[in-house]
Amino acid sequence: MRRRSILSLDSERVRVTVRVRPPTKDEETKEDGLPFIFLDTEKNSVILRRKGSFADFKEFKFDAVLPETAPQVDVYNAAAQTVVQDVLDGYNGTIMAYGQTGAGKTFTLSDIVTDELVGTTVEGIIPRSAADIFLKAETDKDHEYHVSMSYIQIYMEMIQDLLRPENSNLNIRETENGEVYVAGVEEIQVKSVQDVMKLLMIGDQNRNFAFTKLNAHSSRSHTIGMITVEKKALQPPGLRKALTERNRRGSNLTMPEKVLVGKLFLVDLAGSERLKRSGSEGIRATEAMSVNMSLTTLGKCISARADPMVTHVPFRDSKLTRLLQESLGGNAKTSLIVNVAPCGEFLQETFSSLQFGSRAMKVSTRAIVNIEEEFRVITKNLQQALEIQDKRLHSLEAAVLSKEEQLEAARLSLELQTREVEKLRKEQKLRDEQVSLSKKFLEQLKDRDKDWQNRLELLKMAAKDHLIEKVHDQKEEAAVKIQRAYKKYYLNHLQEEKRKVEVVAGSQLMVNSAAKVFKSLAAVDDYFTKKT
């Protein structure tokens, strides 16, 4: 693909529009009754009065000044409409909102409020720009349009794709032609305003917001929405028919087509804030310092571009200024919207914002019409082949992923079952060991029980024998004692009878009686002797 550019005849400069938001109820009660800011919408000037002074005034002139009552459509017509038309003609355009926290930047760019009773909508610059682009695409019968969108944020010097938030810390690259782009950012085709707003809402859900004393929904990052418009001229029917006929004959004649490529950059800058006033602490303070540093670098680049004597512009000191390099005096038509608050409490912030806008008006740009040449037939065939291959690859990838998921699930299930079986085996082994130990212990108990039973029997037998022997000894001793007692008794009796016999008779008869008695005594003695 070859690419060439056409320079615009005259150099331009950054257009600056000032918009003052309405005061809040709290701000109205805090004011001392003396206004500090005066707007002259006819002369497009802003006069700022120093607080507490009636003589110290500072006047700023801009391309457009919009009062508090200005509707969104007036803001779009004054600051954005011409840039959008230039993008449709193949130029790069930038619409950038600048101002302090809570000044109305996000409201100016992307607000959508639907009134169900009246049936009307109040829309910001982004939806109105998308509506003009698609209206032109529908009504232009001589051209074919292809519109795509990407959405990023710069948070603490890291670039994140808001449509694919997993793509974070993206890198900035530069083409051979010196064009700066973000590598790896997702670019999605859009076909309606609803598609653009849907992507915008998806991105805002991934955007970093936080509560501060200055704004309950304060953005903590810079966001850049990029809408790319490709515009191709349709071939006249006669030429298309002739080319078709020649191709049918085998000449393979193709005509290169010119494609205008315009890019619209919609930049919502995070608001500058003073830490004491916003009450930011911890991570919020770190975020605020990062935002202030990038805005300071942006101011330095604006000042360097506004001064023709300065040769070095520190674009590379910040990722924000690196991405906006073409918008700040390069290949782009740039419109800056300075949002200010009409409250004397923020006098210093308002003064700084107006100074920034005044310096930006001195930055000159030289926009280029971007023209790409391509061979439609080859591209169309290649595109169709690539789409078919992509579908096949997606189906194959889905099938492979499904199989891999199934295999992974089966592997995990097998590992789990293997662990369970191993666990059961260990438990069974432990139970078997416990049973074996229990059996051995029971056998030992049985052996000990038998041993004790044998010992008990022996003790019983020994006790019985000892008792019998003792009883027998006692019986023998008693028999001896009885025998001795009887013997003593009979001997005494016999001695008494003998004395009687000797005394009374002294005769033979007594002798014979005594002999019988002695005989009886001998028999008795013999009886007891045998008995024992």
Side-chain angles (χ1 to χ4, degrees):
M1 181 181 293
R2 295 189 298 111
R3 186 168 187 166
R4 61 190 181 91
S5 304
I6 299 177
L7 294 176
S8 60
L9 297 178
D10 298 323
S11 62
E12 299 180 352
R13 62 170 176 80
V14 175
R15 292 182 55 84
V16 180
T17 302
V18 173
R19 186 185 192 186
V20 181
R21 68 162 173 80
T24 63
K25 293 182 179 180
D26 292 339
E27 290 172 349
E28 290 178 349
T29 57
K30 291 180 181 179
E31 292 301 304
D32 55 5
L34 297 175
F36 79 99
I37 185 170
F38 303 92
L39 307 180
D40 189 341
T41 57
E42 294 182 358
K43 295 182 180 180
N44 294 324
S45 66
V46 179
I47 300 175
L48 204 64
R49 177 181 66 86
R50 292 287 187 179
K51 193 171 183 181
S53 173
F54 294 96
D56 190 1
F57 291 88
K58 176 68 176 178
E59 183 178 4
F60 300 90
K61 288 186 176 294
F62 300 98
D63 295 295
V65 175
L66 301 174
E68 305 167 358
T69 57
Q72 293 281 58
V73 63
D74 289 351
V75 180
Y76 176 75
N77 292 335
Q81 190 175 37
T82 56
V83 177
V84 174
Q85 294 301 321
D86 289 334
V87 170
L88 290 170
D89 293 334
Y91 291 96
N92 292 336
T94 301
I95 302 172
M96 182 164 44
Y98 180 90
Q100 71 176 80
T101 298
K105 300 181 298 298
T106 303
F107 174 83
T108 299
L109 285 179
S110 58
D111 179 66
I112 293 183
V113 179
T114 303
D115 190 343
E116 297 179 356
L117 297 177
V118 182
T120 60
T121 59
V122 180
E123 301 175 342
I125 289 177
I126 294 179
R128 290 182 184 274
S129 300
D132 275 2
I133 290 172
F134 288 110
L135 179 62
K136 181 65 174 179
E138 292 176 1
T139 57
D140 188 357
K141 305 300 181 182
D142 297 329
H143 296 86
E144 178 184 354
Y145 290 83
H146 180 276
V147 185
S148 59
M149 178 181 176
S150 57
Y151 196 22
I152 65 172
Q153 75 169 349
I154 304 175
Y155 175 70
M156 296 180 68
E157 286 302 299
M158 289 191 299
I159 301 176
Q160 181 185 21
D161 190 343
L162 291 176
L163 302 181
R164 293 290 185 272
E166 63 274 11
N167 296 338
S168 60
N169 202 15
L170 300 176
N171 296 319
I172 300 175
R173 296 285 184 263
E174 188 173 342
T175 64
E176 296 179 356
N177 299 327
E179 295 180 359
V180 177
Y181 68 97
V182 179
V185 68
E186 184 78 9
E187 191 170 2
I188 301 175
Q189 182 179 0
V190 288
K191 298 182 179 181
S192 64
V193 180
Q194 289 73 20
D195 291 346
V196 172
M197 298 314 300
K198 182 179 179 180
L199 294 179
L200 194 66
M201 287 187 290
I202 292 174
D204 286 342
Q205 291 176 357
N206 299 319
R207 189 177 175 184
N208 290 86
F209 291 97
F211 173 85
T212 66
K213 292 181 180 180
L214 299 179
N215 190 356
H217 198 61
S218 174
S219 60
R220 317 306 290 172
S221 64
H222 310 294
T223 60
I224 302 176
M226 295 168 283
I227 299 178
T228 303
V229 181
E230 297 179 4
K231 180 181 176 182
K232 302 178 184 180
L234 297 175
Q235 295 177 349
L239 179 59
R240 189 184 305 113
K241 184 177 180 180
L243 291 175
T244 303
E245 182 66 22
R246 292 191 179 187
N247 290 335
R248 187 177 62 82
R249 294 176 182 176
S251 61
N252 294 327
L253 178 63
T254 59
M255 291 291 291
E257 293 187 3
K258 296 180 179 180
V259 181
L260 299 180
V261 180
K263 295 183 178 181
L264 178 61
F265 296 86
L266 300 156
V267 184
D268 184 4
L269 297 173
S272 60
E273 62 183 52
R274 285 184 285 177
L275 298 182
K276 291 183 179 180
R277 190 181 296 276
S278 65
S280 300
E281 296 179 352
I283 184 63
R284 300 291 168 248
T286 305
E287 293 170 345
M289 287 189 289
S290 176
V291 169
N292 291 339
M293 287 180 63
S294 61
L295 292 177
T296 300
T297 304
L298 177 62
K300 291 180 180 178
C301 293
I302 291 288
S303 298
R305 278 292 194 184
D307 188 353
M309 302 301 294
V310 177
T311 58
H312 172 69
V313 183
F315 287 120
R316 295 180 180 272
D317 290 355
S318 169
K319 291 188 177 180
L320 173 65
T321 53
R322 184 77 173 107
L323 285 176
L324 297 179
Q325 180 173 341
E326 293 297 323
S327 302
L328 303 176
N331 177 22
K333 295 196 174 186
T334 304
S335 176
L336 174 66
I337 304 171
V338 178
N339 296 86
V340 296
C343 178
E345 183 181 3
F346 305 120
L347 174 62
Q348 185 60 42
E349 287 82 355
T350 301
F351 183 75
S352 298
S353 298
L354 294 177
Q355 276 189 327
F356 179 87
S358 181
R359 285 194 299 267
M361 291 183 65
K362 300 177 182 179
V363 176
S364 60
T365 61
R366 194 169 181 83
I368 296 174
V369 177
N370 302 307
I371 300 177
E372 293 183 356
E373 294 181 355
E374 63 177 0
F375 293 93
R376 183 180 178 82
V377 177
I378 297 175
T379 302
K380 184 177 180 180
N381 293 337
L382 289 175
Q383 186 66 29
Q384 291 177 352
L386 287 173
E387 289 178 356
I388 295 173
Q389 291 181 359
D390 286 342
K391 290 180 180 179
R392 291 178 179 175
L393 286 174
H394 286 316
S395 60
L396 289 174
E397 287 177 356
V400 170
L401 289 175
S402 177
K403 292 294 183 183
E404 288 180 352
E405 290 176 356
Q406 293 177 2
L407 289 173
E408 184 66 17
R411 186 183 65 80
L412 294 175
S413 177
L414 181 60
E415 288 182 358
L416 183 62
Q417 293 179 0
T418 303
R419 292 174 183 174
E420 292 292 334
V421 170
E422 188 66 24
K423 183 179 179 181
L424 292 174
R425 286 179 178 175
K426 291 181 179 179
E427 292 178 352
Q428 185 63 36
K429 183 178 180 181
L430 182 60
R431 284 196 295 268
D432 292 341
E433 291 178 354
Q434 292 177 350
V435 170
S436 177
L437 291 174
S438 300
K439 287 182 179 180
K440 292 181 179 179
F441 183 69
L442 289 174
E443 290 177 357
Q444 293 176 357
L445 287 178
K446 287 181 180 179
D447 294 339
R448 290 184 179 181
D449 185 59
K450 289 180 180 179
D451 184 54
W452 283 109
Q453 285 181 357
N454 293 333
R455 291 185 180 185
L456 184 60
E457 290 295 330
L458 292 174
L459 287 173
K460 287 181 179 180
M461 293 176 63
K464 185 176 180 181
D465 294 341
H466 178 71
L467 182 61
I468 292 172
E469 183 178 356
K470 186 175 181 181
V471 171
H472 185 265
D473 293 341
Q474 290 178 351
K475 286 183 177 179
E476 288 182 349
E477 185 178 355
V480 172
K481 289 181 178 179
I482 293 170
Q483 182 181 2
R484 290 176 178 175
Y486 273 108
K487 186 176 182 180
K488 185 177 180 180
Y489 172 77
Y490 280 110
L491 286 175
N492 291 334
H493 180 71
L494 289 175
Q495 290 292 336
E496 185 66 28
E497 289 295 328
K498 183 179 179 182
R499 283 193 299 269
K500 287 180 179 180
V501 170
E502 288 178 351
V503 171
V504 175
S507 62
Q508 187 63 36
L509 182 60
M510 295 301 293
V511 173
N512 290 336
S513 298
K516 289 180 181 180
V517 171
F518 280 115
K519 188 177 180 179
S520 299
L521 183 60
V524 172
D525 183 59
D526 214 16
Y527 171 76
F528 280 108
T529 302
K530 290 180 181 179
K531 188 69 175 176
T532 58

